[in-house]
Amino acid sequence: MVTPKKDKGEGKQHKDGKGDKDEADYGETVKECPECGAKNLIRDYGRAELFCAECGLVVAENIVDLGPEWRAFDFEQVSKRARVGAPMTYRIHDKGLSTLVTWSPTGQGQYKLKRWQQRTHIASTTERSFIFALSEIDRMACALKLPMNIREASSMLYRKAMKQRLIRGRSIEGIATAILYITCRQYGVPRTLEEVRDISRVGQKEISRAYRFLLRELNLKVTPASPVDFVPRFCSLLDLSGDIRSKAVEIIKRASERELTNGRGPIGIAAAAIYIAAILGGEHRTQKQVSDVTGVTEVTIRNRYKELSEQLDIDVLL
DNA sequence: AAGACGAAAGTGGTTGA
DNA sequence: TCAACAACTTTCGTCTT
């Protein structure tokens, strides 16, 4: 029953078809996010991309990389990896360190061969499902325009879940989707459950189940999403200016000081704050428009916006 | 006609016995 | 496991611009 989201501003989102040279230049000169207008872009040379800290949009890829092409997570890795082998990444199923095993059948009995094959069969099926999970995480992260660091973190989390034998007997899709959802929350670029569900191949129920299960089993703490986290993305989807964005954030801050946000859904609060801010700033959007983008109903927007405007003494004149 | 409003009933998730 | 509960949705009639 969720209305399909209109793909507004297709042109200003990050383009894949452009040449590397153009993008490298773009990465050097662009100063603010074309999606939400935020100024704090993060340049990740390790992943050769430029992404927005506010909404998580990948602004440019293949930017000029001034650092070494390998990554190191501690000193030991630095010394070992300085000039040997391919770069290691968690997004490749065997961490990119593959081993080629040659087999010489001379003098080996049938029995041993069989056992070896059984073992490798088990290894290869779990490996295959892991590869599948990673490709799914990548696909979904791509569709949601999430930065590479979130994809990396998701891969690491999935690996961890696998080590603790949490995947076996559960749907890979469900777990992978839940993990992506968790990582987004942890990195402060939350996507709504509806958004995640729309690009996943499993239903909302299964995602929620996997989500709760993983939080419990992995002892993860996920702080409730703040309404503020949703503002940049929603504002840009509504074609609202940066002025409205900061107004909305301001309203949310005042609301949370007065504890008007307690027990309320963060998305509804964000939607109402944006609705109010847009009217105050002379860029009126209808409740329906806001509702379509945020996924909360007009009724909820009305209820929240009544509360906010009354309690914060904001005169909203239409 | 479109947008805003609000009442009333329904839904899905959480909590606590 | 079940019922109570709050937040949110659906639906729909009415008012306003």
Side-chain angles (χ1 to χ4, degrees):
Chain A
M1 249 33 56
V2 175
T3 52
K5 280 152 194 97
K6 269 179 73 182
D7 249 330
K8 275 195 192 170
E10 190 81 1
K12 59 180 181 172
Q13 289 171 357
H14 97 272
K15 26 233 167 248
D16 307 332
K18 288 186 82 180
D20 287 356
K21 213 177 170 192
D22 274 1
E23 294 216 341
D25 184 49
Y26 189 41
E28 286 305 303
T29 53
V30 72
K31 288 287 176 277
E32 63 179 50
C33 174
E35 175 88 3
C36 69
K39 292 274 195 290
N40 51 340
L41 298 179
I42 295 176
R43 211 171 288 274
D44 183 350
Y45 286 116
R47 295 261 56 84
E49 69 176 11
L50 185 68
F51 67 93
C52 174
E54 296 277 336
C55 66
L57 175 81
V58 179
V59 178
E61 282 169 301
N62 303 319
I63 57 174
V64 178
D65 186 353
L66 302 172
E69 75 279 16
W70 44 266
R71 301 184 75 195
F73 301 101
D74 57 37
F75 183 75
E76 196 189 2
Q77 290 186 345
V78 174
S79 48
K80 276 189 180 166
R81 202 158 306 122
R83 270 300 157 220
V84 195
M88 176 169 144
T89 167
Y90 283 97
R91 290 169 58 247
I92 298 174
H93 70 283
D94 58 1
K95 298 185 184 177
L97 306 169
S98 43
T99 314
L100 185 66
V101 179
T102 51
W103 169 253
S104 150
T106 48
Q108 301 290 331
Q110 273 290 86
Y111 168 73
K112 272 189 176 173
L113 176 65
K114 208 171 182 181
R115 248 194 23 177
W116 188 78
Q117 275 179 337
Q118 268 172 357
R119 268 210 299 273
T120 52
H121 175 72
I122 293 163
S124 67
T125 46
T126 61
E127 208 156 288
R128 251 200 300 279
S129 67
F130 185 46
I131 294 167
F132 173 67
L134 291 196
S135 75
E136 272 305 286
I137 287 173
D138 236 30
R139 180 187 65 78
M140 293 187 286
C142 243
L144 292 170
K145 301 191 191 309
L146 292 164
M148 204 57 95
N149 64 336
I150 287 189
R151 299 180 203 181
E152 286 262 345
S154 300
S155 304
M156 281 168 69
L157 198 53
Y158 193 94
R159 187 184 289 281
K160 192 174 169 191
M162 227 173 62
K163 269 200 186 131
Q164 299 192 19
R165 311 226 170 280
L166 301 176
I167 317 283
R168 180 148 289 185
R170 271 163 235 278
S171 111
I172 296 167
E173 279 279 354
I175 298 281
T177 311
I179 279 183
L180 192 64
Y181 181 66
I182 291 171
T183 316
C184 285
R185 293 277 294 272
Q186 287 178 330
Y187 278 67
V189 275
R191 269 22 184 190
T192 66
L193 193 51
E194 285 81 21
E195 286 173 304
V196 175
R197 180 207 55 203
D198 284 349
I199 51 96
S200 175
R201 297 191 209 275
V202 294
Q204 190 162 320
K205 239 188 168 161
E206 185 155 357
I207 301 171
S208 308
R209 262 220 332 269
Y211 170 75
R212 279 194 297 273
F213 169 74
L214 287 168
L215 288 192
R216 183 158 36 87
E217 295 298 321
L218 291 171
N219 263 326
L220 295 173
K221 264 277 183 280
V222 176
T223 50
S226 160
V228 174
D229 294 335
F230 292 98
V231 169
R233 209 155 42 83
F234 289 160
C235 278
S236 93
L237 287 169
L238 285 163
D239 267 324
L240 290 164
S241 66
D243 194 34
I244 305 298
R245 183 158 41 88
S246 36
K247 266 199 177 74
V249 171
E250 183 59 32
I251 290 169
I252 292 170
K253 286 206 170 124
R254 282 174 57 198
S256 69
E257 276 164 21
R258 302 266 215 104
E259 302 194 330
L260 299 174
T261 56
N262 292 1
R264 307 261 120 114
I267 303 169
I269 299 279
I274 290 169
Y275 178 72
I276 295 171
I279 292 171
L280 292 181
E283 297 180 41
H284 183 268
R285 295 292 181 275
T286 65
Q287 293 175 354
K288 172 123 183 44
Q289 286 174 308
V290 180
S291 160
D292 284 346
V293 163
T294 59
V296 294
T297 61
E298 298 164 63
V299 179
T300 302
I301 294 173
R302 276 200 289 278
N303 290 336
R304 289 300 88 77
Y305 123 78
K306 281 283 164 207
E307 288 170 10
L308 292 183
S309 59
E310 277 167 23
Q311 308 265 347
L312 298 176
D313 284 322
I314 301 173
D315 279 329
V316 184
L317 306 166
L318 287 173

